[in-house]
Amino acid sequence: MHDAVPPLPGEHPLLALDRLVAGYDRPVVGPLSFHLAPGEIAALWGPNGSGKTTVLNAIGGGAHIFGGSVTRRPGLRVSHQHQSALPLQDVPLCGRELLALTCADARALPDTMKPLLRRMLSELSGGQLQFLQVWACLTAPVDLVLLDEPTNNVDPASIALVGDAIRRVRAERAVLLISHDRDFVEALGARIVTVERQ
Amino acid sequence: MFDPMFFTPFATGLLVAAVLPVLGMYLRLREEWLAALAFAQLAAAGSLAAAIFGMPVLIGGLGLSGMAAAGKAWLVRSGNNGYAMLMVAGWGASILMLANAPLADHLGHALFDGQLYFTGRSHLWSMAAFAVVAAALMQWLSRKLLLERMFPDFFRASGLSATRFHLLFDLLVAGGLALATASIGVMAAFAVVFIPTMIAYQWGRSWRRSIAIAALVSIAAYVIAFEIALVEDQPFGPVLVLALVLAAAFAWSLKTLIARSAGPVPARRRP
C-alpha cells in the first residue's frame, strides 16, 4: 500500500518511510510511505495480518527491510513497546525498578497507579503490567515512541490515562501507535496511516 | 577461621560467596544458569592442563573458560545443548588428564572435592581483584542486562548492541567461575551461583533486595560450612553444597508454611 504523506514545507521529519517493504523470512508488508514530524501522533490502521507490527519492528530494527528505506533523523532516540507480555518468569522486579530501566518518569505516574510502584511485577494483573510497560516507553527520555496496541487488556479508566499520557508527551515526542480501538485513536487526534494486507 | 593458618582460605572463600551469587542473579535472569556449570567444568580442565604443562593453574582455568565465553555467541544458537556439550567435554577431558597424569592428581582432588584450605595468597589476591572489577562492571552492566531482557525491542530500537554487553558479562562470569573453581571446586562454585539466587527469586520483593538476599544466604551457608568442614575434617566443597541445599529446603518449607497459614490465594487477575 503506497500511502504517501509528504512533509510540510520547512519541516524536518523525525522519521521517513519511503516505499518500505519489510518482513522476516519473506516480505509481509509494503510498499509503505509516510513521514512523522516532531510532536505528531500517527496511528497505523489495518486488518489483522496486514503487517502493522512488522512496520514498527522495521523502524526499531527488529524486522528485515527488503525494499525501500527507513530514514531516522540522526541521533533519534526511540522507545518501543511490544504488544506481547513482559518476559517475567518470576523475575523479582518491582514496578519502580521496571520504570527505572527506561529512565521513565515515575513521579508523574497518575495517583491511582502509584501503588504499582511498590508491588512485584508478578503480582500485577495483565492490564496493570501493560500500563506500566506503556508508561515506561512513553515517559522515557526519547524523541519517538512506538506503541503496539497500548490499550490491550487495559480497563476504560486506564485507557483514558494512557490517552492523557500520550497527549501530555506529544509536545516533546512523536508517537506512532497501532490500535484496533478507533475511538481511542480518534480521541487522540491521530493521523491515520492505512496498512493493507499484501 | 580467624586462625592465621586458615584466614587466607577463609577470606578467599568469603569473597567467592559474596560475589558469585550476584552474577548468578543475572545468569538466572537470562535463563543461562547451565552456562555456569559449563564454565566451571572447563575451568577445571584448563587448570589441569596448565598443571601438566607446568603453567600457572589459574591462568589455565581462566584461559579455557574465557575462550568458551568468547565463543558463546555461537553456542547461544544451540541453547542449553551447547552448554551441556561444554560441560561433559570439560568433565571428560579432566578425568582423562587425571587418569594419565598422576602429577595432576592432587590438583584434581582440590578441583573436584573443593579443598579450600589449600588455597594460598595468589587465590586471595586474584579473587579480591576480581571482586573489585566485577563490582565496577556490574554497576554499568546491570541496567543494560535488565533492559535487554525486559524491553528487548526498546533496547534494540535505542541502537544498543547486545553483543558487546553479553560478551563482557560472559567474560566476567567465566572469570569468576574459574577463580571460584580453583578455590572451592567445580560443584561448589556452581552451587554458589545457582542455589542462593533460586532462594532470592522466591523471597525477594525487588531486584536490589533479591541481590542482597542471594549474597547473604551464600555468605551464611559458607561460614557455617567452613566451620563444619574444619572441625569435622571433611572436604569443604561437598559440605558447602549440602549446606546450600539445606538452606534451599528450609527456605522453600518456610515459604510453603507461610502461604498455607495465610489461607487461599485469590486467582491472579490476568487474562
Side-chain angles (χ1 to χ4, degrees), chain B residues 45-150:
Chain B
S47 297
L48 286 168
I52 290 169
F53 289 104
M55 292 165 51
V57 295
L58 279 177
I59 300 293
L62 284 166
L64 194 56
S65 59
M67 281 196 302
K72 185 176 152 285
W74 175 79
L75 285 170
V76 164
R77 278 183 231 140
S78 61
N80 277 330
N81 293 339
Y83 302 141
M85 293 290 286
L86 282 178
M87 195 171 67
V88 297
W91 175 84
S94 298
I95 300 301
L96 282 177
M97 278 189 274
L98 285 173
N100 292 282
L103 290 175
D105 187 62
H106 178 73
L107 176 63
H109 277 292
L111 289 169
F112 289 100
D113 294 348
Q115 297 290 16
L116 176 64
Y117 308 111
F118 299 136
T119 57
R121 285 183 179 271
S122 62
H123 294 86
L124 176 59
W125 291 125
S126 301
M127 198 61 219
F130 176 81
V132 170
V133 169
L137 278 176
M138 287 312 298
Q139 288 277 358
W140 182 67
L141 276 172
S142 177
R143 179 178 159 261
K144 290 171 175 57
L145 290 171
L146 284 163
L147 180 66
E148 196 258 343
R149 179 71 177 144
M150 304 307 291

Side-chain angles (χ1 to χ4, degrees), chain A residues 89 92 97 101 123 125, chain B residues 143 149 157 205-207 269:
Chain A
Q89 280 134 356
E97 289 173 325
L101 294 182
E123 296 171 352
S125 69
Chain B
R143 179 178 159 261
R149 179 71 177 144
R205 301 289 301 169
S206 71
W207 189 252
R269 287 169 288 121

Side-chain angles (χ1 to χ4, degrees), chain B:
Chain B
M1 64 190 75
F2 299 110
D3 185 316
M5 189 191 309
F6 299 111
F7 182 73
T8 296
F10 176 74
T12 304
L14 193 62
L15 286 168
V16 170
V19 173
L20 251 61
V22 177
L23 299 181
M25 285 292 293
Y26 295 88
L27 278 173
R28 184 172 278 270
L29 172 75
R30 297 168 61 185
E31 298 176 86
E32 289 184 341
W33 46 267
L34 194 56
L37 189 52
F39 289 145
Q41 288 284 4
L42 285 171
S47 297
L48 286 168
I52 290 169
F53 289 104
M55 292 165 51
V57 295
L58 279 177
I59 300 293
L62 284 166
L64 194 56
S65 59
M67 281 196 302
K72 185 176 152 285
W74 175 79
L75 285 170
V76 164
R77 278 183 231 140
S78 61
N80 277 330
N81 293 339
Y83 302 141
M85 293 290 286
L86 282 178
M87 195 171 67
V88 297
W91 175 84
S94 298
I95 300 301
L96 282 177
M97 278 189 274
L98 285 173
N100 292 282
L103 290 175
D105 187 62
H106 178 73
L107 176 63
H109 277 292
L111 289 169
F112 289 100
D113 294 348
Q115 297 290 16
L116 176 64
Y117 308 111
F118 299 136
T119 57
R121 285 183 179 271
S122 62
H123 294 86
L124 176 59
W125 291 125
S126 301
M127 198 61 219
F130 176 81
V132 170
V133 169
L137 278 176
M138 287 312 298
Q139 288 277 358
W140 182 67
L141 276 172
S142 177
R143 179 178 159 261
K144 290 171 175 57
L145 290 171
L146 284 163
L147 180 66
E148 196 258 343
R149 179 71 177 144
M150 304 307 291
F151 290 99
D153 295 299
F154 185 110
F155 189 90
R156 189 172 37 233
S158 299
L160 293 171
S161 166
T163 308
R164 197 160 43 111
F165 304 121
H166 285 178
L167 180 60
L168 200 53
F169 178 68
D170 290 339
L171 287 172
L172 204 59
V173 169
L177 280 160
L179 293 172
T181 299
S183 305
I184 63 175
V186 170
M187 291 313 286
F190 172 63
V192 166
V193 169
F194 179 69
I195 295 178
T197 62
M198 187 176 71
I199 296 171
Y201 262 58
Q202 288 174 349
W203 285 89
R205 301 289 301 169
S206 71
W207 189 252
R208 277 181 173 263
R209 276 192 208 171
S210 299
I211 287 179
I213 289 171
L216 287 172
V217 165
S218 174
I219 289 169
Y222 166 76
V223 170
I224 293 169
F226 189 94
E227 193 63 25
I228 291 174
L230 195 61
V231 168
E232 301 297 329
D233 192 23
Q234 297 295 313
F236 173 76
V239 175
L240 177 59
V241 169
L242 290 177
L244 286 167
V245 168
L246 285 173
F250 175 74
W252 178 83
S253 301
L254 190 60
K255 193 82 175 170
T256 305
L257 201 64
I258 291 171
R260 283 187 186 158
S261 60
V265 177
R268 282 185 180 175
R269 287 169 288 121
R270 289 206 192 161

Side-chain angles (χ1 to χ4, degrees), chain A residues 12 27 90 186:
Chain A
H12 298 286
D90 297 327
E186 288 178 352

Side-chain angles (χ1 to χ4, degrees), chain A residues 9-39:
Chain A
E11 183 185 80
H12 298 286
L14 288 179
L15 181 73
L17 271 63
D18 185 19
R19 291 183 294 273
L20 171 73
V21 177
Y24 305 98
D25 294 330
R26 59 175 182 82
V28 299
V29 65
L32 181 67
S33 300
F34 69 88
H35 298 90
L36 198 61

